[in-house]
Amino acid sequence: MISFKHLSARKSATVPEALTWRDVYGTSRGSARDSPVSAKDALKISAFYRAVDIRSDSIGKLPVKVKDTITRQERKDHYLVPVLQVTPNEAMTPFVFRKLVETRRLILGNSYVWIYRDGYGHPLEVLPLPPGSCSPYIEPGTGKLWYIAQDPKTGQLYKLHPEDILHYKGVSLDGITGLSLLSQAARVLRVEESRDQYEYAVYQNGGHPAGVLCTETDLSRVPVHQPDGTMMNAKDVVRKEWDRIHAGPGNAFRVAVLDNGLKYTPISMSNADAQFVQSKAVTVEDIARFTGVPQNLLFTGKQSYNSNEQNSLDYVKYTLQPTVIQYEEEDSRKLLTVSEQGAGLWLERNMMAELRGDTASRMAWHRGMREIGAISVNEIREKEDMGPVPGGDSLYASLNYVPLADWAELSRRRNAPETPKGE
């Protein structure tokens, strides 16, 4: 019999109690708040899009394996392998699933995945829930944590045990919900959005700011009949006609013909305006800080090759690895049974996939670990997705690369005083 933590709660979650948002929050729409900057608008900013894309790709390409932490062997026959490595759900491949989950976690601060189980408690599929369709719920009186989730297949709301929802969080102040990156970086994103609009407007006008048409006549008091029968004053008619002929990049630098005493005086672009357009790098730096992605990966900055290499290593160590640890802990705690966890099983994400494109670094790491006797040839081959070889399980150290089992004896022989010949 499979041993699950809170088995009775799991059974009640299998056929959950039907609820409405009003039952939980006293409203008809739940507790989700509108973000200061929408995700679609934020992703129109090139640096932010690139940062989110590279962060989600980094998580998406890390394979998930069922690992025995005692023997360090992969359990390829485990029942979770089809869900983790083949078909998480009927609509997604494993990479698409992991990338989507990380994108929502990074941008919205919370990413929820519903675990659909069979009668034995084994996961059949893992389904990412759309934003706004799931929320933590602290039950009044008991203080117990539940999740209120809307089934995307039926639209029905359910009260689920925490172990049936994979909840990946961003930065959190209470350990229950994560903070939205859109909210925390709202000022930076809005500044960049305004900058893009300003720059677009400048180029729409042929790279030149607007000017002033001057005349000694008060055109606002001169009525003009329009073809549709409406009336406009002459000032609005002149402005409209000027924009029609000269506004937009296709009409830039056209010759202007002025009559009725009109004179055109251009307004030159100030140094402050020019610096405003050129200050995009400042916002890119802020986006890099918020997302933890080095500037060289955002295709900006002028660091040396060595600096870029170190920045990439720092990205793996300080940005990516903490996120991977959260995924491993959440997956192992909720997808494996208590007995399997006690037996040493763990859902591991192979970080070597992040270094797959860096052959030199990968080779140096493998060589160094093998030379100190930390890993064997077969363990290296396993990380490179290659099969084992005969004799590849032996560990070697730097004493002429001999087996560790013989290392102490050979060391004593090498350092023993030589016996004189003839004795």
Side-chain angles (χ1 to χ4, degrees):
M1 186 67 179
I2 297 175
S3 173
F4 281 104
K5 184 180 180 182
H6 305 306
L7 184 59
S8 60
R10 284 186 175 277
K11 289 182 178 179
S12 66
T14 304
V15 186
E17 175 188 354
L19 297 172
T20 65
W21 284 120
R22 188 176 300 277
D23 295 331
V24 180
Y25 300 105
T27 66
S28 59
R29 297 192 58 188
S31 63
R33 297 179 180 177
D34 294 333
S35 300
V37 181
S38 71
K40 289 185 178 180
D41 288 340
L43 290 174
K44 292 178 182 178
I45 300 172
S46 61
F48 187 76
Y49 178 92
R50 172 61 180 167
V52 172
D53 192 46
I54 195 170
R55 284 286 301 270
S56 57
D57 278 344
S58 296
I59 294 297
K61 66 186 179 183
L62 299 181
V64 184
K65 299 181 179 181
V66 182
K67 205 68 172 287
D68 188 326
T69 59
I70 299 176
T71 64
R72 298 307 303 167
Q73 298 296 316
E74 180 184 355
R75 289 282 302 275
K76 297 182 179 180
D77 58 344
H78 196 272
Y79 60 83
L80 280 175
V81 170
V83 177
L84 298 176
Q85 301 179 9
V86 182
T87 309
N89 55 70
E90 61 183 359
M92 302 175 190
T93 63
F95 175 85
V96 171
F97 168 79
R98 294 191 294 263
K99 181 178 176 67
L100 173 63
V101 170
E102 172 62 10
T103 299
R104 290 175 176 173
R105 186 201 69 84
L106 182 63
I107 295 180
L108 305 176
N110 299 277
S111 187
Y112 303 99
V113 178
W114 191 330
I115 307 172
Y116 284 83
R117 303 181 186 274
D118 60 17
Y120 296 99
H122 294 162
L124 293 175
E125 63 176 348
V126 283
L127 193 63
L129 295 174
S133 66
C134 184
S135 181
Y137 170 58
I138 304 298
E139 190 174 52
T142 65
K144 181 176 176 55
L145 174 65
W146 296 88
Y147 282 90
I148 308 304
Q150 185 176 36
D151 191 332
K153 298 179 179 180
T154 65
Q156 180 63 56
L157 288 173
Y158 296 104
K159 176 182 177 182
L160 299 177
H161 192 279
E163 292 185 8
D164 287 323
I165 292 290
L166 294 170
H167 184 185
Y168 308 109
K169 310 175 185 68
V171 176
S172 177
L173 298 180
D174 58 8
I176 299 176
T177 56
L179 298 177
S180 168
L181 181 60
L182 296 179
S183 299
Q184 302 306 305
R187 180 177 299 180
V188 170
L189 296 176
R190 286 202 179 281
V191 167
E192 182 62 16
E193 185 180 19
S194 299
R195 196 191 318 277
D196 285 346
Q197 293 174 354
Y198 179 90
E199 188 175 16
Y200 177 77
V202 169
Y203 287 108
Q204 277 293 101
N205 287 280
H208 293 279
V212 178
L213 290 173
C214 301
T215 180
E216 296 180 357
T217 305
D218 185 1
L219 298 180
S220 62
R221 298 180 179 275
V222 180
V224 178
H225 292 275
Q226 298 299 302
D228 59 0
T230 60
M231 295 287 294
M232 292 180 62
N233 61 59
K235 181 183 292 186
D236 293 335
V237 172
V238 171
R239 181 187 294 109
K240 181 179 179 181
E241 185 66 11
W242 181 272
D243 288 341
R244 184 184 69 82
I245 296 176
H246 297 287
N251 296 324
F253 308 110
R254 292 185 65 179
V255 177
V257 179
L258 305 178
D259 52 14
N260 294 326
L262 288 173
K263 296 181 180 180
Y264 177 74
T265 304
I267 300 176
S268 61
M269 179 181 288
S270 66
N271 291 334
D273 291 333
Q275 291 175 359
F276 181 81
V277 174
Q278 297 173 1
S279 63
K280 296 174 69 69
V282 177
T283 304
V284 173
E285 291 178 4
D286 287 335
I287 290 175
R289 294 188 188 101
F290 271 111
T291 59
V293 177
Q295 292 186 62
N296 65 294
L297 297 182
L298 300 180
F299 305 124
T300 187
K302 299 180 180 180
Q303 297 90 349
S304 64
Y305 175 81
N306 290 336
S307 296
N308 289 340
E309 185 178 26
Q310 185 60 46
N311 288 339
S312 297
L313 294 176
D314 288 343
Y315 165 70
V316 174
K317 183 177 180 180
Y318 298 111
T319 299
L320 188 58
Q321 190 172 19
T323 302
V324 169
I325 291 175
Q326 180 189 168
Y327 276 104
E328 290 181 342
E329 292 178 345
E330 184 75 358
D331 292 344
S332 300
R333 185 167 70 97
K334 296 182 178 180
L335 294 177
L336 294 171
T337 67
V338 174
S339 58
E340 288 174 331
Q341 296 174 45
L345 292 190
W346 186 259
L347 298 185
E348 180 183 275
R349 303 201 176 206
N350 188 1
M351 291 287 290
M352 292 303 298
E354 183 64 22
L355 300 175
R356 183 168 293 176
D358 189 352
T359 305
S361 297
R362 196 168 71 253
M363 289 180 62
W365 186 87
H366 287 325
R367 183 183 301 111
M369 293 294 285
R370 182 170 182 265
E371 289 178 354
I372 64 174
I375 60 176
S376 67
V377 171
N378 280 343
E379 287 176 315
I380 295 175
R381 293 179 64 84
E382 180 187 358
K383 292 181 182 297
E384 295 296 327
D385 293 326
M386 296 186 291
V389 295
D393 292 324
S394 299
L395 295 174
Y396 294 87
S398 59
L399 184 60
N400 295 327
Y401 300 103
V402 298
L404 284 179
D406 302 327
W407 189 90
E409 178 62 26
L410 292 174
S411 179
R412 284 193 293 269
R413 291 182 182 180
R414 170 172 290 187
N415 293 288
E418 294 184 1
T419 304
K421 294 183 179 180
E423 294 186 6

